[in-house]
Amino acid sequence: MFSRVEQLAWEREKLSDFACLSSESRGRIKPESDSDIRTIFQHDRDRIIHSKAFRRLKHKTQVFIAPEGDHYRTRLTHTLEVSQIARTIARALKLNEDLVEAIALGHDLGHTPFGHAGEAALSEITGADFKHNLQSLRVVDLIEKRSSGSRGLNLSVEVRDGILNHTGANKPLTLEGEIVRIADRVAYINHDIDDALRAGIIADSDLPAKAISILGNTHSERIDVMVRDLINSSWQHGEIRRSAEVKAATKELRSFLFENVYIGSEGKSEEGKAKRLLKLLYEFFMEHIDYIPDEYLEFEKNYKQAVIDYIAGMTDRYAINLGRKYFIPTPWFDKNR
């Protein structure tokens, strides 16, 4: 059996001097006994995968709201693509693949239904920017329950930091966290182009020629160029780098998506309805707080925050079904006719 102790020794021998070793983790908020099989980061990964929030990602919007097509990305498939890209980079750089995987799998647990339209709706409700990375940390720290019944997943400091700082102004503590931060962007830029092409919102000829000449003509070519560039630029430097050329081309593709897909495109035409639905649900539950599941009230006495937590955790289809249930009248039929 390849025990935890043997794995820790393997990491010390095989991983880069720049890697975050499992044996050097800053530990958990609440101390726990170590597993005899899994390292701390492997244990974190497994807790995330077995969480309810992770399973709900399969029915949460990536770009297109509640897509009917079988091949459009959801928040879950996005998460898996981020994990795959990040693990490839971590392995090539001899960094801690288990830490990268745990961060990647947990980074979007706090995303709302209907993607960024959901974030915008909750921001308008609260009067402050709703940040999915902050909500992701709230999910793993407070909202999720373990099988033992204890509140929160009690993840390691490094995984929690990577989840929190996969986006935003602050850099992660570890190189593994920085990898996930960039892998997230590599994944969504490329798969959102792929989905927009499938939907007929853009054509290959619309893509910016200069960026494509640098990154490649196909989905797989572009990911390969981005990943290889990061690996070659970062190797033995003690920091995660990209070449100026590839970084600029990636930024140009991202800007293209905002201009042609993310804002005002046909694929975003239902966003206004989605925002109105979440606002209606918020108002309804604030008036009927007893309809909120007890699990959201056990740790949060602020009703407004409990309602926000409940709505943020919904899938697209669950929110839509609640809208039908609470806001669409049920026809009455005469049983005696």
Side-chain angles (χ1 to χ4, degrees), residues 246-279:
V246 169
K247 187 175 182 179
T250 303
K251 185 178 180 179
E252 186 177 2
L253 274 189
R254 184 173 182 267
S255 296
F256 169 84
L257 283 169
F258 272 95
E259 293 170 6
N260 296 276
V261 178
Y262 297 152
I263 299 174
S265 74
E266 182 182 350
K268 311 296 280 183
S269 61
E270 296 296 297
E271 283 194 347
K273 296 177 186 177
K275 290 173 66 176
R276 286 193 292 275
L277 172 59
L278 295 191
K279 290 178 181 180

Side-chain angles (χ1 to χ4, degrees), residues 75-118:
R75 193 62 58 177
L76 178 60
T77 57
H78 161 73
T79 294
L80 296 176
E81 290 186 35
V82 173
S83 178
Q84 175 268 315
I85 291 168
R87 287 179 59 191
T88 296
I89 295 168
R91 185 175 295 183
L93 294 177
K94 295 187 176 182
L95 297 176
N96 196 317
E97 195 174 338
D98 294 324
L99 174 55
V100 157
E101 185 177 29
I103 295 171
L105 293 176
H107 82 282
D108 268 357
L109 293 180
H111 240 299
T112 61
F114 311 122
H116 292 288

